[in-house]
Amino acid sequence: TDSDFLPLSKTIVFHAGKPSHGLLRPENSRDPITAAVSIEDGFGLEMLVDLDRPAPLAMALEVPGFPDGLYVGQPVSNNPITPDRIAWIPFNGTSVEVFTTLLPEADPTSLAFAPPNSIFNTGLYLSANNRDGNRPGDWGGTIQHIDNEIRVSDFTAVGSPSGPGEPGEFIFGEYGWAEDLMILANSVGSPGDLLSVKSDGRLEVLFSDGQSESSPGGLAFRSLAMPPSESTFGDWLYLGEFGRECLCIQRWHPERGLETWIDEIEGEPHGMAFGRGGIFGNDLYVAIDLGNEGRVLRITKEGVVSEFITGLQGFLFGNGKDVMEFGPNGDLLYLSDYYGHRIYRIG
């Protein structure tokens, strides 16, 4: 329409408040970056907000002390001076506010709120990939916690040797063997490739291939996702890997071990999320980067891979950036496009 966009505090937004399906097709957008995006037939895609450097996403819905909406990490790449940030955006996209600033070394790669009635303290947790206390060189990262008074604290030990060596995406397990676990992909393998972060911040190794961080081989888990309970995908943990041996998706279970599920995908996996029924089905969605384009793949239980979204500007290279978040009812998908400076709403 003639009023696709509204200027608001120097932020460009789409008309908001569309709780149902029927979002505009991207090719009908007046925004040229959005119009260059293609999506599977039957879906719409709109720009929710124009935001500098959006990467990891988390959603708050009735979290005590946190306004409902999207929380978005904004890492500044290769800049040791400029602070990283977390922005807050209401679900209708009518404003953007700075929720908090982070240390320049933080490099937030993943955000998640502790589930209700969790053994973890209420609040927003973040994977600070480069938070090593500003030591010379690369000494790993840290999991941090933000409470409802917006106080940022180090939840794990800061960097190696006691903290995570290269923390990527993490999730809170909610059922079965994963219940009450915070599970972290740790790509350099020190102290392990897959870690459980305890409620007191201690680390426990769930899986390790025994390779040191200086090894040219070995595993490099960057992103992860676990299907909802009762999913036909089972109770496996699905792991996106790139940077060492393959561009692939593996899956792990504490009793069944590790196995390759998709032996090759076309780009680096920068985030994974399972659909929760409805129009998205129960498939696995994987955000990948090709170097000059970002895409989102849809993968069925049988391992059939198709392109769901193409034509994105791309994702910031690194340890999984947790760039997708499904809405509470599973009928909307939010997606960060780092180099496009866009957060999209898909339905």
Side-chain angles (χ1 to χ4, degrees), residues 324-336:
M324 294 182 292
E325 186 79 16
F326 277 99
N329 299 320
D331 56 354
L332 289 173
L333 174 64
Y334 298 93
L335 171 68
S336 291

Side-chain angles (χ1 to χ4, degrees), residues 39-320:
I39 191 169
E40 183 179 307
D41 289 345
F43 289 85
L45 177 147
E46 293 181 341
M47 181 177 68
L48 183 68
V49 293
D50 180 339
L51 182 69
D52 286 344
R53 309 179 311 275
L57 298 174
M59 178 178 299
L61 188 65
E62 299 182 350
V63 178
F66 291 83
D68 289 356
L70 292 174
Y71 292 74
V72 186
Q74 296 176 271
V76 181
S77 180
N78 298 319
N79 189 321
I81 299 174
T82 304
D84 296 329
R85 296 187 302 189
I86 297 176
W88 173 79
I89 303 167
F91 289 126
N92 61 17
T94 53
S95 62
V96 176
E97 298 179 14
V98 176
F99 174 66
T100 191
T101 57
L102 303 170
L103 293 171
E105 67 170 353
D107 186 17
T109 62
S110 188
L111 302 173
F113 285 93
N117 305 314
S118 169
I119 63 172
F120 291 85
N121 290 333
T122 299
L124 179 61
Y125 291 79
L126 68 107
S127 179
N129 180 256
N130 287 318
R131 165 74 174 136
D132 62 2
N134 280 317
R135 287 178 278 176
D138 186 354
W139 288 90
T142 306
I143 300 298
Q144 296 187 300
H145 174 256
I146 304 176
D147 66 16
N148 57 14
E149 296 184 6
I150 319 182
R151 293 176 297 197
V152 182
S153 60
D154 296 319
F155 182 60
T156 65
V158 176
S160 297
S162 299
E166 197 76 19
E169 192 167 3
F170 71 91
I171 61 168
F172 287 98
E174 297 188 36
Y175 69 92
W177 66 266
E179 187 172 6
D180 287 334
L181 296 184
M182 178 195 289
I183 306 172
L184 173 65
N186 186 51
S187 67
V188 302
S190 174
D193 300 283
L194 195 61
L195 304 176
S196 169
V197 183
K198 299 298 186 180
S199 59
D200 61 1
R202 291 179 299 110
L203 302 180
E204 178 181 289
V205 176
L206 295 176
F207 178 84
S208 175
D209 65 2
Q211 300 283 335
S212 71
E213 59 186 274
S214 59
S215 171
L219 301 170
F221 300 143
R222 312 278 185 159
S223 55
L224 48 75
M226 190 167 179
S229 62
E230 309 303 325
S231 169
T232 56
F233 280 80
D235 61 349
W236 292 89
L237 181 70
Y238 289 77
L239 301 156
E241 182 175 349
F242 68 91
R244 287 193 181 183
E245 293 191 341
C246 69
L247 298 177
C248 60
I249 297 176
Q250 306 204 57
R251 60 184 185 181
W252 179 83
H253 187 279
E255 296 176 356
R256 303 178 206 124
L258 180 73
E259 66 180 39
T260 299
W261 184 54
I262 303 293
D263 59 8
E264 185 176 356
I265 55 176
E266 58 182 323
E268 296 138 352
H270 279 74
M272 307 198 300
F274 278 95
R276 296 183 175 269
I279 61 171
F280 292 97
N282 298 303
D283 297 331
L284 176 62
Y285 293 81
V286 182
I288 64 169
D289 193 275
L290 304 180
N292 60 354
E293 179 189 359
R295 297 180 182 178
V296 176
L297 306 178
R298 181 206 281 257
I299 308 179
T300 68
K301 176 178 69 72
E302 294 76 22
V304 177
V305 181
S306 60
E307 292 179 343
F308 181 63
I309 298 174
T310 61
L312 299 166
Q313 296 297 300
F315 311 112
L316 178 62
F317 184 87
N319 279 2

